[in-house]
Amino acid sequence: MELKLTDLTKKFGNFSAVDHINLTMRNGVYGLLGVNGAGKTTLMRMLCTLIKPTQGHITYNGKNIYEMDSAYRNLLGYLPQEFGFYPEFTVQDYLLYIASIKGIRPVVAKKRTKELIHGVGLAKAANRKMRTLSGGMKRRAGIAQAMLNDPKILILDEPTAGLDPNERIRFRNLISELSEERLVLLSTHIVSDIEYIANDILLMKDGKIIRQGTLDAIIASMPETVWICHAEKQQVSSMIENYRVSNIKAENDHAELRIISSEKPLPEATPVQPTLEDVFLHYFGEKAGDNHVEF
């Protein structure tokens, strides 16, 4: 299986939300990482044929997805950032309703709904109304509806937005289980969502894919060094003003700072292994002095 984007561009007036992207994806989990407004949702909406590109094209196994029409959409599962549901429907009724919209035969729909309700951990909530579910449970129901047609391509837009840490962990584990034999594209601005489950990470900024690779390759792409150093509390404001600080930990009369810098910030500073969070700050974070903090 191959999903290929060639010179893909989407403009709204003079603004390029997606700007000349070339990308080839196959089976596995792809993590699309970027801040809000980077163009992630626009890209995903084109992959789902909800909007058409201004320029370029998308092909599935060499065929244009817009020309494939329903044949392509039958291969697709999509969980938008905000998905609609009837609040008075039970989980089971909601999934059966979505299955009917997707044209799944009733016999198949009933079997598939039962399997998915168990698969996403909603067996005890199958007869509860959607409006009574927690945010994490609604997201699991959303994943179930996206999986009803056993899609070869699963597209998830900010799937863990608003979830607590435990729900995010459950969600990541679920995605890992679902990723066998299919392509999963997951967009987020939450680093931990993709740090442990993505086979390939895509960094998106201003409509462009600025970096692509495995976690190790993405971390190795960062040209600056990450340092740990200790400073007196009265020094902290000056350090923030002059360096990009990714973390501050107060320790009695001084503070431990994690600093991203090409130069050694203090004589006793120690270099440490970067993380994906450090990479995110390097490419998407504020410049030194932009975020003034009183300490």
Side-chain angles (χ1 to χ4, degrees):
M1 178 177 62
E2 180 183 88
L3 190 64
K4 187 172 183 178
L5 288 59
T6 304
D7 198 31
L8 193 67
T9 301
K10 180 62 180 179
K11 291 187 175 183
F12 297 97
N14 293 323
F15 173 68
S16 294
V18 172
D19 193 1
H20 300 282
I21 287 180
N22 292 283
L23 176 66
T24 300
M25 294 181 287
R26 298 179 177 87
N27 283 0
V29 180
Y30 291 80
L32 184 60
L33 185 61
V35 297
N36 292 331
K40 303 188 301 296
T41 294
T42 300
L43 174 59
M44 295 183 126
R45 287 173 64 82
M46 284 192 285
L47 288 169
C48 294
T49 70
L50 296 174
I51 56 175
K52 289 189 175 181
T54 307
Q55 183 178 327
H57 55 269
I58 307 168
T59 58
Y60 174 80
N61 289 345
K63 297 179 181 178
N64 188 295
I65 65 170
Y66 293 92
E67 294 174 2
M68 289 177 68
D69 198 24
S70 61
Y72 173 73
R73 285 192 288 276
N74 288 339
L75 303 170
L76 191 67
Y78 178 44
L79 176 62
Q81 194 168 348
E82 298 291 338
F83 67 97
F85 57 85
Y86 290 103
E88 297 302 317
F89 274 20
T90 64
V91 174
Q92 181 172 275
D93 288 343
Y94 165 68
L95 292 176
L96 289 171
Y97 171 68
I98 296 298
S100 69
I101 292 175
K102 292 187 175 186
I104 300 171
R105 290 186 298 114
V107 173
V108 176
K110 286 181 181 179
K111 181 182 178 183
R112 188 73 179 145
T113 293
K114 185 176 180 180
E115 291 172 349
L116 286 168
I117 284 174
H118 282 272
V120 300
L122 288 177
K124 292 182 179 179
N127 294 311
R128 283 178 56 180
K129 292 183 178 181
M130 291 290 292
R131 62 177 171 80
T132 69
L133 303 182
S134 68
M137 294 170 81
K138 287 175 184 173
R139 281 287 167 188
R140 280 186 261 167
I143 276 286
Q145 68 81 23
M147 292 293 298
L148 279 166
N149 58 330
D150 193 20
K152 296 297 182 184
I153 302 169
L154 183 59
I155 296 180
L156 310 170
D157 191 2
E158 298 282 358
T160 64
L163 301 190
D164 65 38
N166 285 333
E167 287 288 3
R168 287 211 302 273
I169 291 168
R170 291 190 196 102
F171 199 89
R172 292 199 301 265
N173 291 341
L174 177 60
I175 297 307
S176 292
E177 292 173 11
L178 294 175
S179 65
E180 295 183 15
E181 303 293 327
R182 74 185 84 241
L183 187 163
V184 179
L185 178 62
L186 183 159
S187 88
T188 186
H189 62 279
I190 302 171
V191 171
S192 60
D193 280 354
I194 61 173
E195 192 167 12
Y196 300 110
I197 64 170
N199 306 108
D200 217 35
I201 296 172
L202 312 168
L203 301 185
M204 190 169 186
K205 185 176 184 179
D206 298 330
K208 298 178 182 288
I209 302 296
I210 59 171
R211 286 288 184 277
Q212 176 186 0
T214 64
L215 175 63
D216 290 342
I218 291 291
I219 289 175
S221 76
M222 192 172 75
E224 295 182 295
T225 303
V226 180
W227 308 87
I228 292 291
C229 59
H230 295 83
E232 301 294 328
K233 285 192 175 182
Q234 58 267 30
Q235 292 180 281
V236 172
S237 292
S238 175
M239 298 295 287
I240 293 171
E241 187 67 28
N242 291 289
Y243 296 100
R244 187 174 286 187
V245 180
S246 66
N247 192 60
I248 303 173
K249 179 181 176 183
E251 297 180 340
N252 298 321
D253 59 344
H254 66 282
E256 180 185 275
L257 292 86
R258 189 177 182 93
I259 291 174
I260 300 172
S261 172
S262 55
E263 60 185 49
K264 198 172 187 178
L266 289 174
E268 67 276 15
T270 305
V272 293
Q273 179 66 28
T275 65
L276 186 58
E277 194 169 75
D278 295 319
V279 174
F280 186 90
L281 182 63
H282 169 77
Y283 286 112
F284 305 114
E286 296 159 326
K287 303 295 182 183
D290 284 352
N291 186 17
H292 182 69
V293 176
E294 295 293 339
F295 198 84

